[in-house]
Amino acid sequence: MVAGLWAYSSSFSGIFVFDDEPAIAQNQNLQSLWPLSRAMTAPRDTTLAGRPVATLSFAIDHAIYGGALTGYHATNLAIHLSASLLLFGVIRWTLIAAGVAAATSLWQAFTIALLFVVHPLQTGSVTYIVQRVESLMGLLFLATLYASIRSLDAEPARRGLWTAAAILACALGMGTKEVMVSAPLVVMLWDRLFAPRARSSRRVLYGGLMATWLILLGLVLGGYRSSSVGFGFAEWPWWKYLMTQAEILAHYLKLSFIPSPLVLDYEWPAVQSLSQVILQGLLIVSLFLMTIWGVVRRQSASFISGWFFLILAPTSSVLPIVTEVAAEHRMYLPLAAVISAVVLGAAYSLRRLSERIPGLKSGLAVGGPIGIAVIAIIFGSMTRARNLDYQDYDRIWLDTIAKRPNNSRARTNYASSLLTAGRFLEAESHLRVAVENQPDNVEAQANLGVALSAQGKLDDGIDHLQRALTLKPDYAEASRNLGEAYALTGRMGAAVAAYLKALEMLPNDVMLLKRASWILATDPDDSVRDGAHARALAQRAVDLTQSRDADALDGLAAALAEVGEHERAFQTAGTALGIARAMGDSDLARGVESRAALYARGQKFRESAR
């Protein structure tokens, strides 16, 4: 616990990044715990969609901490520390079941749990806030297995309690993340390898665990992430995804031993031929076949590799997850298998070696703990350093770009920050790389259009905004920005058409209402103007702003004059004038005053006269 608190004490200043924004920051359902059904839902195709237990945990955090980021981080760390304690218990009981002495099992379990809790690879599940879905699922997975193990040796009166606890944890896990599907299988695998004689008496446990698959089935059939997960993606057929996962699994194993470089978002490219991954494929297939052989022969060591493959199978086999082909957080539980293999393998080898070399045993008694402490300190220090990358939006994306320079999403996200800061030329350079590497990146195309338009390169900007809308016709912000670009070029008919398209998705956007109504009411081109439409849009803008927005009232006055209601136009302009003066906006006040004079004479306003 001390090691975990030390390693993650630098995580509490972490901000919302990447998937945190749509799943948590923009999720209004988390604002209240009631109704409960609402607090357990999230927008479709976000990380929390179809994961009600994980979603509810964030709603509870919001109720307790008021949405403070430190509260989310505190809960994430509490989950991780609790998972490490359960891992300690699972390993200790497993080693005892395998015939290891109690004292030896204690220290081996401690070592594995210690390295698990401080390992830098876990930052993807702990410091990255929304990936609590992975660590919480891991906690419930371990709770399921721990309770199942404890139910074996419990007194009859307590056996039912442990069985019920296992089934409850499994049910909650199914509502947390789909990877939990393998938990019942892992329990059965444990029984086969460590308690084969007890299997016949475990029907209630097995039946209860398998019944929780119905929960997961119902959530999966809801199609909450149908745009990102499934077999219907032409660019990611199952066989290509499987080949790519061979390369990714080898990368995961490498990071388990040397956790650097760590990357927030890989945007891993698809493997195009088997020859690209022949070595990685042979490694994975060999380990898999050895696992099958070990399970058939009831070799206890095969539980480690069985754990690894069963947990990774849902995300790293044939089911394409096109938005996140590779992700470090998927190694949260599988990492325990890798650490266990190394620690237990090293312990076995050193024990056999000490039997042959006199004096080695006493040396290991001193050097072993020191070596473990050194590794834990190195890993913990790397974890503390990695946490710092999550404390600044620009830093995390620059870090990702440095490690994955062809990552289109990383460059697009960093460029959005540059656009906000008005650094349009820098944003353009990143966005051009993004669209070159991924021409169908809608956000990159749209943002490049904005960056170019802001620099006066309007024709090029319009071209990229149009490409974005071709890829995603209902992209409201792209339609808005296209309207702005058209307006700057003087193509007001095209501008108002773009604004009206954006209003189809954002009917209560006051700025869009004001922009469109003004053009429809005041443009000198008769083919562009539509007074009745302008009045309706302007009136909605005035209603939404409760008649307190001078611009909205000014637009309504122009629209009223356009349809011949000059007296009302004059009165509305007078109200707008009073608000503009009260706000100290002298430029707007002068403009409204001159237009009011026109309305008083029964005239209409044309933008060319402004």
Side-chain angles (χ1 to χ4, degrees):
M1 294 301 97
V2 171
L5 287 168
W6 167 70
Y8 283 95
S9 61
S10 60
S11 71
F12 286 82
S13 297
I15 62 171
F16 283 141
V17 296
F18 204 17
D19 291 344
D20 290 335
E21 292 288 344
I24 304 173
Q26 298 166 17
N27 185 358
Q28 297 299 313
N29 296 342
L30 304 181
Q31 304 297 313
S32 173
L33 283 174
W34 193 258
L36 196 61
S37 58
R38 185 171 183 266
M40 299 174 74
T41 58
R44 299 179 80 86
D45 290 306
T46 63
T47 304
L48 294 180
R51 294 164 176 173
V53 175
T55 305
L56 180 61
S57 75
F58 283 104
I60 293 172
D61 273 357
H62 191 280
I64 296 173
Y65 302 109
L69 289 175
T70 52
Y72 294 129
H73 284 293
T75 301
N76 277 22
L77 180 53
I79 289 169
H80 182 50
L81 295 176
S82 300
S84 70
L85 285 176
L86 280 171
L87 178 65
F88 170 84
V90 165
I91 293 170
R92 183 165 178 264
W93 282 94
T94 301
L95 292 173
I96 291 173
V100 177
T104 302
S105 68
L106 179 72
W107 285 106
Q108 290 178 347
F110 169 79
T111 301
I112 293 168
L114 172 66
L115 298 180
F116 174 86
V117 81
V118 300
H119 200 289
L121 191 53
Q122 304 293 40
T123 54
S125 301
V126 182
T127 313
Y128 186 0
I129 297 174
V130 79
Q131 291 308 332
R132 173 188 301 178
V133 295
E134 192 78 42
S135 58
L136 181 57
M137 181 279 299
L139 172 66
L140 294 167
F141 195 112
L142 290 165
T144 300
L145 182 55
Y146 181 78
S148 298
I149 295 171
R150 292 301 305 271
S151 70
L152 281 169
D153 297 323
E155 299 175 359
R158 301 181 62 186
R159 188 174 302 152
L161 293 176
W162 281 116
T163 299
I167 295 171
L168 176 61
C170 195
L172 292 172
M174 296 295 176
T176 301
K177 192 173 183 183
E178 298 78 359
V179 177
M180 192 72 184
V181 68
S182 60
L185 301 178
V186 171
V187 171
M188 295 176 196
L189 177 63
W190 194 96
D191 283 0
R192 173 179 174 80
L193 298 176
F194 301 105
R197 295 179 181 177
R199 294 168 66 196
S200 60
S201 63
R202 307 269 270 176
R203 294 188 184 91
V204 173
L205 174 65
Y206 295 162
L209 295 178
M210 289 189 289
T212 65
W213 282 334
L214 295 175
I215 298 172
L216 183 58
L217 179 63
L219 294 171
V220 171
L221 291 178
Y224 295 101
R225 275 182 301 283
S226 57
S227 297
S228 58
V229 181
F231 292 103
F233 300 96
E235 68 276 20
W236 278 106
W238 68 267
W239 54 268
K240 182 179 289 188
Y241 189 79
L242 180 62
M243 288 196 304
T244 305
Q245 287 304 312
E247 184 177 45
I248 292 169
L249 285 175
H251 181 70
Y252 289 161
L253 288 172
K254 176 260 180 186
L255 288 178
S256 300
F257 292 92
I258 307 173
S260 179
L262 298 177
V263 179
L264 174 67
D265 174 38
Y266 280 91
E267 200 173 73
W268 201 286
V271 169
Q272 299 302 320
S273 68
L274 186 59
S275 60
Q276 288 181 247
V277 291
I278 190 67
L279 294 178
Q280 297 96 322
L282 287 173
L283 171 65
I284 302 303
V285 170
S286 298
L287 289 173
F288 182 72
L289 292 176
M290 289 172 61
T291 301
I292 298 297
W293 181 86
V295 171
V296 171
R297 298 290 300 271
R298 286 196 172 96
Q299 298 292 320
S300 58
S302 63
F303 181 74
I304 293 175
S305 53
W307 170 285
F308 180 85
F309 284 115
L310 282 171
I311 294 174
L312 279 173
T315 57
S316 301
S317 53
V318 298
L319 180 63
I321 305 175
V322 298
T323 54
E324 199 172 45
V325 178
E328 290 167 2
H329 58 79
R330 290 179 190 152
M331 277 295 288
Y332 186 76
L333 281 181
L335 179 62
V338 180
I339 295 173
S340 296
V342 173
V343 171
L344 298 178
Y348 175 80
S349 299
L350 291 172
R351 184 171 65 252
R352 294 295 299 270
L353 194 61
S354 65
E355 293 173 356
R356 301 178 182 179
I357 304 177
L360 180 60
K361 187 174 182 179
S362 58
L364 290 174
V366 176
I370 293 175
I372 293 167
V374 168
I375 295 172
I377 290 171
I378 291 173
F379 278 175
S381 298
M382 294 176 71
T383 295
R384 290 174 60 84
R386 178 59 175 167
N387 290 334
L388 300 180
D389 292 332
Y390 285 87
Q391 295 181 7
D392 181 80
Y393 185 89
D394 289 356
R395 176 170 174 167
I396 191 66
W397 287 118
L398 281 173
D399 174 80
T400 306
I401 292 168
K403 295 167 181 174
R404 307 287 290 189
N406 292 326
N407 188 320
S408 176
R409 277 197 301 250
R411 289 186 179 273
T412 302
N413 286 325
Y414 178 56
S416 67
S417 178
L418 295 174
L419 289 175
T420 302
R423 295 157 63 182
F424 303 115
L425 184 59
E426 291 177 70
E428 178 189 346
S429 66
H430 284 283
L431 290 166
R432 287 198 180 279
V433 176
V435 299
E436 180 181 349
N437 288 311
Q438 195 178 83
D440 61 349
N441 184 326
V442 177
E443 189 176 355
Q445 292 283 6
N447 286 354
L448 180 55
V450 171
L452 291 168
S453 298
Q455 297 176 72
K457 305 172 186 178
L458 293 170
D459 289 338
D460 285 345
I462 288 171
D463 182 53
H464 284 284
L465 286 165
Q466 288 175 332
R467 290 183 202 174
L469 287 167
T470 299
L471 293 166
K472 186 179 179 182
D474 61 347
Y475 195 170
E477 285 304 313
S479 290
R480 179 206 300 273
N481 291 324
L482 181 61
E484 297 289 339
Y486 276 135
L488 288 172
T489 63
R491 289 181 273 180
M492 307 310 291
V496 76
Y499 289 143
L500 292 175
K501 180 67 175 177
L503 277 169
E504 292 177 11
M505 283 76 76
L506 303 170
N508 294 325
D509 188 297
V510 173
M511 186 58 67
L512 283 171
L513 291 167
K514 292 193 292 187
R515 289 270 204 269
S517 63
W518 185 261
I519 296 172
L520 290 170
T522 68
D523 195 82
D525 188 339
D526 293 342
S527 65
V528 174
R529 287 195 316 279
D530 184 339
H533 197 179
R535 179 175 58 179
L537 296 176
Q539 186 63 59
R540 193 189 312 168
V542 169
D543 292 342
L544 288 169
T545 56
Q546 300 178 332
S547 300
R548 296 174 183 173
D549 186 307
D551 275 322
L553 289 163
D554 187 24
L556 178 58
L560 290 168
E562 176 62 22
V563 296
E565 298 184 36
H566 294 96
E567 182 176 349
R568 189 180 166 204
F570 178 74
Q571 293 172 351
T572 303
T575 303
L577 179 61
I579 294 173
R581 286 173 174 169
M583 293 175 60
D585 192 337
S586 57
D587 290 338
L588 178 59
R590 282 193 296 270
V592 173
E593 189 172 20
S594 66
R595 287 187 283 279
L598 291 175
Y599 309 148
R601 297 194 298 269
Q603 296 177 326
K604 303 173 182 179
F605 175 73
R606 293 291 174 264
E607 180 60 43
S608 58
R610 190 172 184 177

